[in-house]
Amino acid sequence: MSGLRHVCSVFAMFWASSASAQDVLYAVTNSDLITISLDDPSSVEVVGPHGLSFVTLVDGSTRGPFSLTYDRASEHLLGLHYESIAGTEDFIQSLVQYDTETGAATTLHVLADSGVDGFVESIEYVDT
């Protein structure tokens, strides 16, 4: 597992039942959306590149995609992402949706556009 931690330096996980009826954890690495089998945790599969960028903060740390949640009703895998503001050292947070077939991420909404001030730590879908 230590090799996986190295690959997933920016890391978020969420459980979902895949189309093949196998229980998997979805995870985000620096470059890809991946799955980890709950039946065989050594079985890691790359779904595909998410295409999201990373931001290097003033302290030298990097931020990118994180905090996944799965909406079972719509079968959408959602996450948060830092995005650079062109020409500045500032960043904004966005809500993104991942394609569970290709790994590609699509920005759905910039959180600050809804009046969200500050840093959002995580998101969770709550089935009501």
Short mmCIF file of all heavy atoms in Angstrom, two decimals, residues 30-60:
data_model
loop_
_atom_site.label_atom_id
_atom_site.label_comp_id
_atom_site.label_asym_id
_atom_site.label_seq_id
_atom_site.Cartn_x
_atom_site.Cartn_y
_atom_site.Cartn_z
N ASN A 30 -2.77 12.34 -8.64
CA ASN A 30 -2.33 13.58 -9.28
C ASN A 30 -2.83 13.70 -10.71
O ASN A 30 -2.98 14.80 -11.21
CB ASN A 30 -0.82 13.68 -9.26
CG ASN A 30 -0.28 13.94 -7.88
OD1 ASN A 30 -1.00 14.30 -6.97
ND2 ASN A 30 1.01 13.75 -7.72
N SER A 31 -3.04 12.58 -11.37
CA SER A 31 -3.41 12.65 -12.79
C SER A 31 -4.65 11.85 -13.18
O SER A 31 -5.22 12.11 -14.23
CB SER A 31 -2.24 12.17 -13.64
OG SER A 31 -1.89 10.84 -13.28
N ASP A 32 -5.06 10.90 -12.35
CA ASP A 32 -6.11 9.97 -12.78
C ASP A 32 -7.21 9.75 -11.74
O ASP A 32 -6.98 9.93 -10.54
CB ASP A 32 -5.50 8.59 -13.07
CG ASP A 32 -4.47 8.61 -14.16
OD1 ASP A 32 -4.79 9.07 -15.26
OD2 ASP A 32 -3.33 8.17 -13.90
N LEU A 33 -8.35 9.31 -12.24
CA LEU A 33 -9.39 8.71 -11.40
C LEU A 33 -9.09 7.22 -11.41
O LEU A 33 -8.85 6.65 -12.48
CB LEU A 33 -10.78 9.00 -11.97
CG LEU A 33 -11.96 8.40 -11.19
CD1 LEU A 33 -12.10 9.09 -9.83
CD2 LEU A 33 -13.25 8.54 -11.99
N ILE A 34 -9.05 6.60 -10.24
CA ILE A 34 -8.75 5.17 -10.14
C ILE A 34 -9.82 4.48 -9.31
O ILE A 34 -10.60 5.13 -8.61
CB ILE A 34 -7.36 4.90 -9.52
CG1 ILE A 34 -7.31 5.36 -8.05
CG2 ILE A 34 -6.26 5.55 -10.34
CD1 ILE A 34 -6.03 4.93 -7.32
N THR A 35 -9.86 3.15 -9.40
CA THR A 35 -10.70 2.36 -8.51
C THR A 35 -9.82 1.36 -7.78
O THR A 35 -8.81 0.89 -8.31
CB THR A 35 -11.80 1.58 -9.26
OG1 THR A 35 -11.21 0.70 -10.21
CG2 THR A 35 -12.78 2.54 -9.94
N ILE A 36 -10.24 1.04 -6.55
CA ILE A 36 -9.58 0.04 -5.73
C ILE A 36 -10.66 -0.96 -5.33
O ILE A 36 -11.69 -0.57 -4.77
CB ILE A 36 -8.96 0.66 -4.47
CG1 ILE A 36 -7.95 1.74 -4.86
CG2 ILE A 36 -8.31 -0.41 -3.59
CD1 ILE A 36 -7.50 2.62 -3.71
N SER A 37 -10.46 -2.22 -5.65
CA SER A 37 -11.45 -3.25 -5.35
C SER A 37 -11.52 -3.51 -3.85
O SER A 37 -10.50 -3.68 -3.20
CB SER A 37 -11.09 -4.54 -6.08
OG SER A 37 -11.91 -5.60 -5.63
N LEU A 38 -12.74 -3.53 -3.31
CA LEU A 38 -12.89 -3.88 -1.89
C LEU A 38 -12.71 -5.39 -1.68
O LEU A 38 -12.35 -5.83 -0.61
CB LEU A 38 -14.25 -3.43 -1.38
CG LEU A 38 -14.43 -1.93 -1.25
CD1 LEU A 38 -15.85 -1.59 -0.80
CD2 LEU A 38 -13.43 -1.34 -0.29
N ASP A 39 -12.98 -6.18 -2.72
CA ASP A 39 -12.79 -7.63 -2.64
C ASP A 39 -11.31 -8.00 -2.67
O ASP A 39 -10.90 -8.98 -2.08
CB ASP A 39 -13.51 -8.34 -3.79
CG ASP A 39 -15.01 -8.14 -3.74
OD1 ASP A 39 -15.57 -8.02 -2.61
OD2 ASP A 39 -15.64 -8.08 -4.81
N ASP A 40 -10.51 -7.19 -3.38
CA ASP A 40 -9.08 -7.42 -3.50
C ASP A 40 -8.38 -6.06 -3.53
O ASP A 40 -8.14 -5.51 -4.60
CB ASP A 40 -8.77 -8.20 -4.77
CG ASP A 40 -7.28 -8.43 -4.98
OD1 ASP A 40 -6.48 -8.15 -4.05
OD2 ASP A 40 -6.91 -8.87 -6.09
N PRO A 41 -8.06 -5.49 -2.35
CA PRO A 41 -7.47 -4.15 -2.29
C PRO A 41 -6.17 -3.98 -3.07
O PRO A 41 -5.78 -2.86 -3.37
CB PRO A 41 -7.23 -3.93 -0.79
CG PRO A 41 -8.23 -4.83 -0.13
CD PRO A 41 -8.32 -6.04 -1.02
N SER A 42 -5.51 -5.06 -3.44
CA SER A 42 -4.31 -4.93 -4.26
C SER A 42 -4.67 -4.69 -5.73
O SER A 42 -3.80 -4.38 -6.54
CB SER A 42 -3.43 -6.18 -4.14
OG SER A 42 -4.09 -7.30 -4.70
N SER A 43 -5.96 -4.82 -6.05
CA SER A 43 -6.41 -4.60 -7.42
C SER A 43 -6.79 -3.13 -7.62
O SER A 43 -7.85 -2.69 -7.21
CB SER A 43 -7.62 -5.50 -7.72
OG SER A 43 -8.13 -5.22 -9.00
N VAL A 44 -5.88 -2.39 -8.23
CA VAL A 44 -6.07 -0.97 -8.51
C VAL A 44 -6.15 -0.79 -10.02
O VAL A 44 -5.29 -1.28 -10.74
CB VAL A 44 -4.90 -0.13 -7.94
CG1 VAL A 44 -5.06 1.34 -8.30
CG2 VAL A 44 -4.81 -0.31 -6.43
N GLU A 45 -7.21 -0.12 -10.47
CA GLU A 45 -7.36 0.10 -11.91
C GLU A 45 -7.48 1.59 -12.19
O GLU A 45 -8.19 2.31 -11.49
CB GLU A 45 -8.60 -0.62 -12.43
CG GLU A 45 -8.47 -2.13 -12.39
CD GLU A 45 -9.64 -2.83 -13.07
OE1 GLU A 45 -10.26 -2.22 -13.97
OE2 GLU A 45 -9.92 -3.97 -12.69
N VAL A 46 -6.80 2.03 -13.22
CA VAL A 46 -6.90 3.42 -13.66
C VAL A 46 -8.14 3.53 -14.54
O VAL A 46 -8.25 2.83 -15.56
CB VAL A 46 -5.64 3.86 -14.43
CG1 VAL A 46 -5.83 5.25 -15.01
CG2 VAL A 46 -4.42 3.80 -13.53
N VAL A 47 -9.08 4.40 -14.15
CA VAL A 47 -10.25 4.66 -14.97
C VAL A 47 -9.83 5.53 -16.14
O VAL A 47 -10.19 5.28 -17.28
CB VAL A 47 -11.37 5.35 -14.15
CG1 VAL A 47 -12.56 5.70 -15.03
CG2 VAL A 47 -11.80 4.47 -12.98
N GLY A 48 -9.06 6.58 -15.86
CA GLY A 48 -8.55 7.46 -16.91
C GLY A 48 -8.12 8.79 -16.33
O GLY A 48 -8.37 9.10 -15.16
N PRO A 49 -7.47 9.62 -17.15
CA PRO A 49 -6.99 10.92 -16.68
C PRO A 49 -8.16 11.88 -16.41
O PRO A 49 -9.10 11.94 -17.19
CB PRO A 49 -6.12 11.42 -17.83
CG PRO A 49 -6.59 10.68 -19.03
CD PRO A 49 -7.12 9.36 -18.54
N HIS A 50 -8.07 12.62 -15.30
CA HIS A 50 -9.14 13.56 -14.97
C HIS A 50 -8.94 14.91 -15.66
O HIS A 50 -9.89 15.65 -15.86
CB HIS A 50 -9.32 13.75 -13.47
CG HIS A 50 -8.07 14.03 -12.71
ND1 HIS A 50 -7.32 15.16 -12.89
CD2 HIS A 50 -7.46 13.30 -11.75
CE1 HIS A 50 -6.28 15.14 -12.07
NE2 HIS A 50 -6.34 14.01 -11.37
N GLY A 51 -7.72 15.26 -16.00
CA GLY A 51 -7.45 16.50 -16.72
C GLY A 51 -7.47 17.75 -15.86
O GLY A 51 -7.47 18.86 -16.38
N LEU A 52 -7.45 17.60 -14.54
CA LEU A 52 -7.48 18.75 -13.65
C LEU A 52 -6.07 19.25 -13.36
O LEU A 52 -5.13 18.46 -13.26
CB LEU A 52 -8.19 18.40 -12.33
CG LEU A 52 -9.65 18.01 -12.46
CD1 LEU A 52 -10.18 17.49 -11.14
CD2 LEU A 52 -10.48 19.18 -12.95
N SER A 53 -5.95 20.55 -13.17
CA SER A 53 -4.65 21.16 -12.88
C SER A 53 -4.41 21.21 -11.38
O SER A 53 -5.30 20.95 -10.57
CB SER A 53 -4.62 22.58 -13.45
OG SER A 53 -5.63 23.36 -12.83
N PHE A 54 -3.19 21.59 -11.01
CA PHE A 54 -2.81 21.75 -9.62
C PHE A 54 -2.33 23.17 -9.38
O PHE A 54 -1.83 23.82 -10.28
CB PHE A 54 -1.71 20.75 -9.24
CG PHE A 54 -2.25 19.37 -9.07
CD1 PHE A 54 -2.53 18.59 -10.17
CD2 PHE A 54 -2.53 18.88 -7.81
CE1 PHE A 54 -3.06 17.33 -10.02
CE2 PHE A 54 -3.07 17.62 -7.65
CZ PHE A 54 -3.33 16.84 -8.76
N VAL A 55 -2.49 23.62 -8.16
CA VAL A 55 -2.07 24.96 -7.75
C VAL A 55 -0.94 24.79 -6.75
O VAL A 55 -1.04 23.98 -5.83
CB VAL A 55 -3.24 25.71 -7.06
CG1 VAL A 55 -2.78 27.05 -6.52
CG2 VAL A 55 -4.39 25.90 -8.04
N THR A 56 0.16 25.53 -6.92
CA THR A 56 1.23 25.55 -5.93
C THR A 56 1.01 26.77 -5.05
O THR A 56 0.99 27.90 -5.54
CB THR A 56 2.61 25.62 -6.60
OG1 THR A 56 2.76 24.47 -7.45
CG2 THR A 56 3.72 25.61 -5.55
N LEU A 57 0.81 26.53 -3.76
CA LEU A 57 0.54 27.61 -2.82
C LEU A 57 1.84 28.29 -2.39
O LEU A 57 2.93 27.79 -2.65
CB LEU A 57 -0.21 27.06 -1.60
CG LEU A 57 -1.53 26.35 -1.92
CD1 LEU A 57 -2.16 25.81 -0.65
CD2 LEU A 57 -2.50 27.27 -2.65
N VAL A 58 1.72 29.43 -1.73
CA VAL A 58 2.87 30.21 -1.30
C VAL A 58 3.83 29.37 -0.46
O VAL A 58 5.05 29.52 -0.56
CB VAL A 58 2.41 31.47 -0.54
CG1 VAL A 58 3.59 32.25 0.00
CG2 VAL A 58 1.57 32.36 -1.45
N ASP A 59 3.30 28.46 0.37
CA ASP A 59 4.16 27.63 1.22
C ASP A 59 4.83 26.48 0.46
O ASP A 59 5.53 25.66 1.03
CB ASP A 59 3.38 27.10 2.42
CG ASP A 59 2.29 26.10 2.05
OD1 ASP A 59 2.16 25.76 0.85
OD2 ASP A 59 1.56 25.67 2.96
N GLY A 60 4.58 26.39 -0.86
CA GLY A 60 5.19 25.35 -1.68
C GLY A 60 4.36 24.09 -1.83
O GLY A 60 4.68 23.22 -2.65
#
